[in-house]
Amino acid sequence: MGNAYGFMEITGVVAATDALDIMCKAADVSLATWERKLGGRLVTLVIEGEVEAVRQSIEAASTNAIKKPVSVGILPNPHPEIVKMVELSASRFKGKPEPSSDPKMLGQDPPDFVPEDK
């Protein structure tokens, strides 16, 4: 989409959702990926877009979000290794459902369980 990444670490999923909403409405940027750490208490948002759009979005969310960010950063023209890192993170949250999303009943065997013959 663009040639810059914006990073924002903020505490809490609700605050991160609010910050992302502000960033996407402030300028033409999109969510590249996100990561939750410490059980969701620390959320890292990564947006992408043109350099000035990313700068405006990060600034708007930093001043208007329900919580102040822990840290922010803007990478214009990111190195290819950074692009790979962001793409890897994006593939984890876009590509596969989390293991806990399958409903399990108490006492139910996993799908790959094969009982031994006695």
Side-chain angles (χ1 to χ4, degrees), residues 2 6 8 13 22 26 31 39 41 43-44 48 56 60-61 64-65 68 70 72 74 76-77 79 81 88 91 102 111:
M8 176 176 283
V13 174
I22 291 167
L31 177 66
R41 292 185 303 252
V43 179
T44 303
E48 61 183 334
Q56 289 173 358
N64 298 314
K68 295 297 176 203
V70 175
V72 297
I74 299 169
N77 194 24
H79 188 276
E81 291 300 316
L88 174 65
S91 72
D102 293 335

Side-chain angles (χ1 to χ4, degrees), residues 75-76 110:
L75 289 178

Side-chain angles (χ1 to χ4, degrees), residues 3-118:
N3 60 354
Y5 285 131
F7 297 84
M8 176 176 283
E9 283 188 330
I10 194 163
T11 55
V13 174
V14 173
T17 303
D18 177 57
L20 179 62
D21 184 59
I22 291 167
M23 288 190 283
C24 290
K25 289 176 179 176
D28 186 22
V29 297
S30 63
L31 177 66
T33 189
W34 71 297
E35 298 274 341
R36 289 185 317 171
K37 301 295 179 199
L38 303 173
R41 292 185 303 252
L42 186 61
V43 179
T44 303
L45 299 169
V46 182
I47 59 168
E48 61 183 334
E50 298 300 320
V51 176
E52 191 53 35
V54 168
R55 191 177 320 279
Q56 289 173 358
S57 294
I58 293 288
E59 185 177 308
S62 294
T63 57
N64 298 314
I66 59 176
K67 287 187 176 180
K68 295 297 176 203
V70 175
S71 63
V72 297
I74 299 169
L75 289 178
N77 194 24
H79 188 276
E81 291 300 316
I82 301 297
V83 174
K84 283 199 281 189
M85 180 186 74
V86 170
E87 288 173 350
L88 174 65
S89 174
S91 72
R92 288 194 300 252
F93 101 86
K94 291 179 182 175
K96 300 183 243 179
E98 293 186 23
S100 62
S101 66
D102 293 335
K104 300 225 181 340
M105 295 181 65
L106 187 60
Q108 182 180 4
D109 290 329
D112 59 347
F113 176 75
V114 178
E116 291 181 13
D117 291 334
K118 290 187 179 186

